[in-house]
Structures are given as C-alpha cells and as structure tokens.
C-alpha cells in the first residue's frame, strides 16, 4: 500500500512536470517563431499581415487541447535577415526529409502555418497507450504545386522504406504510410504502438499533414460539420475578438482539456481557455494573453485587481535603476479577491499542487523571509497596502562570495490611513522575533532599524555586534522599507539614477496598453542567473527561444482590461538595439 501511494505521488509529480513542459513549450514555440525575427527591429521593412486569425481553425476539433499558428510567411523576411537565422530554421526542420525549401515549398507556401494537438488519444483506447493526434496545416496559394509537393514527399518516404497507401475520402485524395508497428514487452501484456506514421492531403487552400490517417479524416469531417470545428465554437469566437489586428503568431488553449491530456484535473477552474498573440514592435515584441472565464461564473468572482493606472507609478522614483526586478501597482489589499489571484490559484494548484509550492520554486527568498520573520504575506503585508507600491530586488555584493545570501530588496508604499497601523505591525513582528527596534539619524534622515544583537566575547571584554535585518523611513508621501542600511543610504542620498529615469524602463512601459494595473519589470541581464536558479524550467524556454533570449534586454509584464469574464495581460520583450 505504501509503495502504491508512493508510485501514485510520483505519477502525479511527473504529470505536473510534463504539464509544465507543455505550457512552457507552447509559449516557447511562439517566442521561437518570432524570436528569429529580432533583427526586424533594426530594419525599416514592415511585415504584411493580411489575416487576422488562423484559417486552419476549420480543420481543428472544438475540443482540441491546443493550436499554435504563424500568420506570416517567413520567406518574406529572407531579404532582411542578418545572420542567416531563417535559413538555419528551415535547414534544421528539413534536415532529414530530402526536401528543399526553395524548390519544393517556397513556390506555394502562403501566410499561415498552424500546428494543433487534435486529441488526447487518436484511437481512444488507453489499453495500447496514449497516442495524441497532431495536425499541421500550411496555407497554399498554388494548390496544384502543393499536390506535387505532397506526392514528392511521400514518394521519397517510400524510397526510404515506408509503404505508401492512397485513399479517397469524401472527395479528397489521402496519402499515408502503412504504420510501422513496434511491439513492447515491458509488461506481461504485449502492447503495440504506432511509430513514424505520416498522412497528408491538399484541401482547398491548405496542405494537411498528420501523424495518423484518422487525424486527417477528422479534419475533413470538421469542415463538413461546422458545429464540430473550432472556428464555430462560441468560446473560440469570443477569444479571437481579443486578438490585435497585426498579430504575427497566435495560440489557443482549452485549459481543462490540456490539463486532462496530462492526467490532471484543472483546479479552481475559473478560466476555461486562453488565447495568446505576438505583435512586433519597433523595439521588441508584445505577447498578449487573454484568459476567458466560465460563462456561468458570477462577475463578482473575477473582479479586477485594482483601479486602472493611467500613468507610471510614482513610487518607482525611490527604486534604484540597478534593480534587476521591480513590481509596481496599487491596492495590494484587493489582490486576494482579484482576477489575478483567481488565475494564480488555478495555475499553481494545477501545475504545482499548491501556491506555496509555486512560490518556493520561483521565489525562494520570499519563503525564506516568511519563515524567518514568521509572517503571512496576505495578512501582514498586503492587507494594509491600499495605495501605490513598488517592490524591487537588487544585487547584493555579499552574495558574490556567498550564494546562500539573498539579494537585497526595497519596498515603497504610498501613505494611507492604514499605513501607520501596518508599519506598527511590522515593528511588532520584529520585536516578536527578538530583533531590536530602534532609530538612528542617517544623512539628516530619521531611520527606524530592525537589528539582531549578538554578544561576542573578546579577551576579557564582550563586544556587541548589531546585524541589520531591515530599515524603514518616511519620505514625502511614501514609506520606504529596505533589507539593508547601505541600500537605504543609497536611496535617500540619490547615489544613482532611479528606475523611473531609466530610458529602457520608460521605453518598455510605453509599449504597454494604458490604462493598466501595474507591471513587473525584469532586467534580463541582471536577473537571468537569479531566475534560473529559482526555476530550472526557464532554461528549457530559453533553449527553444534562443535567438530571442540571446538578444533580450528586458521583459515587462502587465495586466489590463476591465471585462468581467476575461483577464487580459501582456509581456513586452525589449530587444537589444
């Protein structure tokens, strides 16, 4: 029984890991698609994006877990590439096919390439293992040339040892390989699994490829029975209305189906689906995401996190520009009741099992502070922050010698009626943790400090060592709280420019829609090592989107929009000039 429980726990953990890789993979595919075009931002050439949504949605089932589309022809960028990035992509994708892009694909390829996971299991028989259905649809502007390509591809596969089959299905010519059957004897029951299978067809303005003949047949059925396909799905129709008109890439995810595919149950199922898009900007790219909630969910359950902000958060004028990560907004007290919290609870419970586990994996310093200070973030901090706030993480020089030392941080809070009581609560927590609460004058500014006193015997005397655990002071209309006295001195004496004065930061937030609900700003060069140490999965995303991350300067996350049934946000990736 104990062994069975342990195996079940391992299975769940493996499923969650797999789910994280699937979600990260979808995001990374989108980033990789457009990441190869980073050089565009140095060029006056503009992309022509004549289509506003994927036309291939008519082939995809309305219960399909995921669909990702590129809505531009990559060949149109060939003339402006700098280092052969697009050629590298095409060569790597076609390396084992004996297919030449210029001769075989370029003559007919139009402005869409769509990839979809069509089903969790093609034959719906779990006894022989799960075999997901995969469909690729490529838009064509020359169907005749496309048919020649499909026949050429399958003839070359035949020469390589596969068995070619041809079938007519509802007026469409289908070509497919006779599946290679691989027998597995890892258990007492002999199971068969289909490997290395391919099916293809040309239907109207699209060339279809799939990993099984059933997938292509279902795609044809979806056209002839519109109530079955994704384009007629009310949830999808609502989602595509959120797309910007100039998106170069789009992804649509059915969250419950995606979770089920990975053997998980979608926890806290406030949001049913998600649509992502990528838009190229003059200084980078904006990845927008819209989450759609269940239609029968009361609007009060997905309330906005705060009143939208139409200008930059003034609290940022106390954040040094050396900050690697900064979070700014207003009204943290409303966060536990907000749409952002609903999404956080749903995502973390599904992927990690709990919000605490997610925080532990991504932001271990927060857990360390919570444990050492015995605080509850929501009750002891968020509850009294009703005005503007800014939180930043900065490099700690001591961490260069000792990796166990956490980075420095600064928390700036706008003065409100609740502030005095909140600060008193922090002082009381410090006292309960046996820290000394005292005050000193630093550059004519009164500073309250939390110190840990230690008696150190030395010869015949005893010296007292005071280690600063934190400090806070009041300046103008803000309370500034820091982890380090030297950092406090840097702020009050203006030893460096502020983040608000940083041109890169100004450019980043200028590319986000306004009004918005604040932002998370990450200086990639300063934060990369720290973030990777917190979440190793990030390296997987970086690998798939390598051209993007190699040239990434910063990324800024924000949420915006006030629709009751949706949560809309974006990430702006600022690239090197």
């Amino acid at each position: 029984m104990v062994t069975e429980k342990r195996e079940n726990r391992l299975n769940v953990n493996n499923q969650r890991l797999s789910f994280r890789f699937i979600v990260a993979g979808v995001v990374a595919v989108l980033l990789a698609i457009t990441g190869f075009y980073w050089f565009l931002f140095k060029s006056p050439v503009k992309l022509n994006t004549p289509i506003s949504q994927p036309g291939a949605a008519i082939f995809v089932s309305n219960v399909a877990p995921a669909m990702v589309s590129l809505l531009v022809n990559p060949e149109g960028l060939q003339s402006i590439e700098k280092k052969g990035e697009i050629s590298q992509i095409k060569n790597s994708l076609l390396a084992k096919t004996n297919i030449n892009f210029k001769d075989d694909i370029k003559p007919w390829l139009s402005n869409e390439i769509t990839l979809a996971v069509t089903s969790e299991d093609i034959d719906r028989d779990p006894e022989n293992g799960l075999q997901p259905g995969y469909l690729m649809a490529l838009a064509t502007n020359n169907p005749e040339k496309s048919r020649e390509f499909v026949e050429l591809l399958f003839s070359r596969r035949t020469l390589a040892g596969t068995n070619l089959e041809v079938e007519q299905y509802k007026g469409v010519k289908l070509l497919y390989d006779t599946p290679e059957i691989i027998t597995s004897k890892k258990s007492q029951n002999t199971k068969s699994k289909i490997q290395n299978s391919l099916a293809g067809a040309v239907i109207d303005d699209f060339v279809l490829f799939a990993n099984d003949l059933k997938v292509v047949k279902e795609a044809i059925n979806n056209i002839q029975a519109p109530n079955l396909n994704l384009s007629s799905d009310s949830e999808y129709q609502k989602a595509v209305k959120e797309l910007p008109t100039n998106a170069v890439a789009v992804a649509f995810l059915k969250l419950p189906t995606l979770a089920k595919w990975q053997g998980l149950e979608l926890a806290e199922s406030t949001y049913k689906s998600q649509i992502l898009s990528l838009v190229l900007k003059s200084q980078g790219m904006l990845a927008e995401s819209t989450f759609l909630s269940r239609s029968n969910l009361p609007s009060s359950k997905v309330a906005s996190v705060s009143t939208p902000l139409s200008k930059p958060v003034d609290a940022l004028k106390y954040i040094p520009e050396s900050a690697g990560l900064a979070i700014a907004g207003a009204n943290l007290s409303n966060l536990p009741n907000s749409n952002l919290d609903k999404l956080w609870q749903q995502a973390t419970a599904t992927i990690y099992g709990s919000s605490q586990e997610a925080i532990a994996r991504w932001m271990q310093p927060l857990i360390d502070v919570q444990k050492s200070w015995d605080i509850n973030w929501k009750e002891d901090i968020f509850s009294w922050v009703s005005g503007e706030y800014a939180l930043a993480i900065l490099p700690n020089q001591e961490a260069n010698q000792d990796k166990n030392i956490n980075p420095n941080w600064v928390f700036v809070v706008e003065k409100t009626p609740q502030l005095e009581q909140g600060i008193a609560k922090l002082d009381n927590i410090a006292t309960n943790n046996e820290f000394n609460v005292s005050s000193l004058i630093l550059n004519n500014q009164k500073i309250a400090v939390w110190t840990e006193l230690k008696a150190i015997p030395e010869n015949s005397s005893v010296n007292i060592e005071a280690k600063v655990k934190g400090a806070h002071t009041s300046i103008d209309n803000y309370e500034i709280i820091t982890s380090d006295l030297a950092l406090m001195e840097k702020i009050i004496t203006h030893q460096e420019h502020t983040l608000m004065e940083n041109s890169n930061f100004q450019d980043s937030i200028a590319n986000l829609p306004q009004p918005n609900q604040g932002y998370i700003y990450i200086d990639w060069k300063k934060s990369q090592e720290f973030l990777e140490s917190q979440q190793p999965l990030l390296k997987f995303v970086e690998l798939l989107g390598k051209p993007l991350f190699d040239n990434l300067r910063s990324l800024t996350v924000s949420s915006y929009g006030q629709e009751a049934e949706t949560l809309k946000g974006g990430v702006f990736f600022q690239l090197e000039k």
Side-chain angles (χ1 to χ4, degrees):
M1 180 64 72
V2 173
T3 302
E4 182 178 346
K5 288 183 178 180
R6 185 181 295 112
E7 289 179 351
N8 290 337
R9 193 183 308 115
L10 288 173
N11 287 336
V12 170
N13 289 336
N14 288 336
Q15 289 166 348
R16 285 179 176 142
L17 179 62
S18 178
F19 186 75
R20 292 202 297 274
F21 269 90
I22 291 296
V23 174
V26 170
V27 175
V29 166
L30 281 176
L31 296 180
I33 285 172
T34 53
F36 285 93
Y37 307 152
W38 66 270
F39 49 85
L40 275 175
F41 311 127
K42 306 173 185 178
S43 168
V45 179
K46 294 184 178 180
L47 278 175
N48 180 26
T49 53
I51 54 178
S52 58
Q53 58 180 281
I58 60 174
F59 300 108
V60 181
S61 167
N62 56 15
V63 295
M67 182 179 77
V68 183
S69 302
L70 175 65
L71 302 181
V72 293
N73 188 327
E75 186 63 17
L77 303 172
Q78 191 78 53
S79 62
I80 54 173
E81 64 178 331
K82 305 297 184 184
K83 301 177 182 178
E85 295 88 348
I86 299 174
S87 298
Q88 291 172 18
I89 296 177
K90 293 182 295 190
N91 292 338
S92 62
L93 290 176
L94 302 174
K96 298 181 180 180
T97 64
N98 294 320
I99 297 297
N100 181 277
F101 183 90
K102 181 180 179 180
D103 296 334
D104 301 328
I105 299 178
K106 179 182 176 181
W108 56 265
L109 183 63
S110 188
N111 293 328
E112 179 182 344
I113 301 174
T114 289
L115 303 170
V117 180
T118 60
S119 61
E120 307 154 43
D121 189 18
I122 295 172
D123 60 8
R124 296 175 177 82
D125 182 9
E127 292 299 319
N128 63 357
L130 296 178
Q131 175 73 6
Y134 299 106
L135 178 70
M136 174 186 282
L138 302 95
T140 174
N141 51 29
N142 191 329
E144 188 59 38
K145 284 283 186 183
S146 302
R147 291 187 181 90
E148 293 176 5
F149 166 73
V150 173
E151 292 180 358
L152 172 67
L153 175 63
F154 277 92
S155 65
R156 290 181 177 177
R157 287 174 64 86
T158 300
L159 292 175
T162 63
N163 297 316
L164 175 63
E165 299 284 347
V166 180
E167 179 180 333
Q168 289 287 329
Y169 183 75
K170 295 186 177 182
V172 179
K173 181 181 178 180
L174 307 181
L175 287 80
Y176 62 99
D177 297 327
T178 300
E180 175 188 355
I181 306 297
I182 298 178
T183 302
S184 172
K185 296 182 179 180
K186 291 183 179 180
S187 63
Q188 293 180 354
N189 299 322
T190 300
K191 298 181 180 179
S192 297
K193 190 173 183 179
I194 298 174
Q195 296 281 347
N196 196 29
S197 180
L198 181 68
V202 179
I203 305 176
D204 297 329
D205 296 329
F206 281 92
V207 177
L208 303 185
F209 292 109
N211 62 330
D212 193 274
L213 180 63
K214 295 186 182 71
V215 176
V216 179
K217 288 184 176 181
E218 287 179 2
I220 296 172
N221 295 339
N222 289 334
I223 303 176
Q224 299 183 352
N227 60 312
L228 297 178
N229 67 45
L230 192 58
S231 62
S232 62
D233 180 67
S234 59
E235 196 173 316
Y236 177 75
Q237 290 174 346
K238 184 177 179 181
V240 294
K241 289 180 181 178
E242 302 294 331
L243 289 176
T245 56
N246 53 346
V248 298
V250 172
F252 181 72
L253 310 177
K254 287 267 189 174
L255 300 178
T257 314
L258 190 63
K260 183 181 177 183
W261 175 28
Q262 295 301 301
L264 300 172
E265 181 178 353
L266 190 67
E268 302 285 338
S269 55
T270 301
Y271 296 101
K272 286 185 63 179
S273 59
Q274 177 187 8
I275 192 161
L276 301 95
S277 64
L278 275 167
V279 176
L280 301 181
K281 299 280 189 176
S282 61
Q283 297 172 334
M285 63 182 74
L286 177 65
E288 280 199 336
S289 178
T290 301
F291 293 87
L292 290 87
S293 66
R294 293 182 284 117
S295 57
N296 61 345
L297 194 69
S299 59
S300 59
K301 295 292 185 180
V302 286
S304 174
V305 63
S306 64
T307 303
L309 303 170
S310 56
K311 63 181 184 66
V313 177
D314 286 338
L316 287 165
K317 64 186 180 183
Y318 297 104
I319 302 296
E321 68 174 351
S322 57
L325 182 151
I327 304 171
N331 197 10
L332 275 174
S333 62
N334 191 49
L335 185 61
N337 304 313
S338 69
N339 47 13
L340 283 176
D341 188 65
K342 293 294 182 183
L343 176 61
W344 171 257
Q345 296 296 333
Q346 175 175 313
T348 55
T350 302
I351 300 174
Y352 295 96
S354 71
S355 298
Q356 287 295 102
E357 177 66 16
I359 293 174
R361 289 177 179 270
W362 279 99
M363 292 294 286
Q364 185 59 42
L366 293 180
I367 295 295
D368 294 340
V369 171
Q370 183 169 286
K371 289 180 178 178
S372 62
W373 282 70
D374 191 26
I375 63 171
N376 181 290
W377 289 106
K378 289 184 179 180
E379 296 177 6
D380 298 326
I381 307 290
F382 296 173
S383 61
W384 50 269
V385 180
S386 57
E388 286 187 356
Y389 68 89
L391 171 66
I393 294 178
L394 299 95
N396 188 333
Q397 298 302 322
E398 295 181 14
N400 294 331
Q401 288 77 37
D402 186 351
K403 297 298 182 182
N404 294 320
I405 296 178
N406 285 326
N408 283 324
W409 53 263
V410 56
F411 187 37
V412 182
V413 187
E414 184 181 15
K415 290 181 180 177
T416 62
Q418 298 84 13
L419 177 66
E420 185 176 347
Q421 183 178 355
I423 295 298
K425 192 172 187 177
L426 290 182
D427 286 338
N428 187 53
I429 291 173
T431 301
N432 291 339
N433 281 276
E434 298 183 350
F435 297 150
N436 182 56
V437 180
S438 58
S439 61
L440 55 82
I441 302 299
L442 181 65
N443 289 91
N444 298 318
Q445 178 73 32
K446 185 177 181 180
I447 310 290
V449 293
W450 303 312
T451 55
E452 182 181 39
L453 301 179
K454 286 185 178 180
I456 302 177
E458 185 175 335
N459 298 327
S460 59
S461 62
V462 176
N463 293 328
I464 302 297
E465 180 184 76
K467 185 175 182 180
V468 176
K469 307 296 287 187
H472 64 89
T473 190
S474 180
I475 299 179
D476 297 330
N477 196 40
Y478 294 90
E479 188 76 15
I480 302 173
I481 309 169
T482 68
S483 60
D484 181 72
L485 198 57
L487 175 57
M488 179 67 80
E489 182 181 25
K490 178 187 290 188
I491 293 171
I492 65 178
T493 57
H494 309 290
Q495 292 181 16
E496 68 174 77
H497 290 300
T498 69
L499 191 59
M500 189 81 83
E501 298 170 310
N502 183 281
S503 60
N504 292 332
F505 175 75
Q506 291 175 350
D507 291 341
S508 293
I509 62 175
N511 280 282
L512 295 170
Q514 288 186 345
N516 56 52
Q517 297 166 348
Y519 20 78
I520 301 171
Y521 174 79
I522 300 173
D523 186 302
W524 183 244
K525 300 300 183 186
K526 297 174 184 174
S527 303
Q528 181 179 6
E529 184 177 347
F530 167 71
L531 292 175
E532 287 176 346
S533 68
Q534 300 300 309
Q535 182 50 269
L537 180 61
L538 185 59
K539 293 183 178 180
F540 168 72
V541 179
E542 290 178 54
L543 180 63
L544 291 182
K546 194 174 187 300
L548 168 68
F549 284 95
D550 283 350
N551 296 278
L552 183 61
R553 172 176 289 175
S554 68
L555 56 153
T556 308
V557 186
S558 182
S559 63
Y560 36 86
Q562 294 296 300
E563 296 294 328
E565 294 183 358
T566 62
L567 171 58
K568 193 167 188 175
V571 183
F572 177 70
F573 296 86
Q574 186 184 42
L575 305 180
E576 297 287 354
K577 295 180 181 179

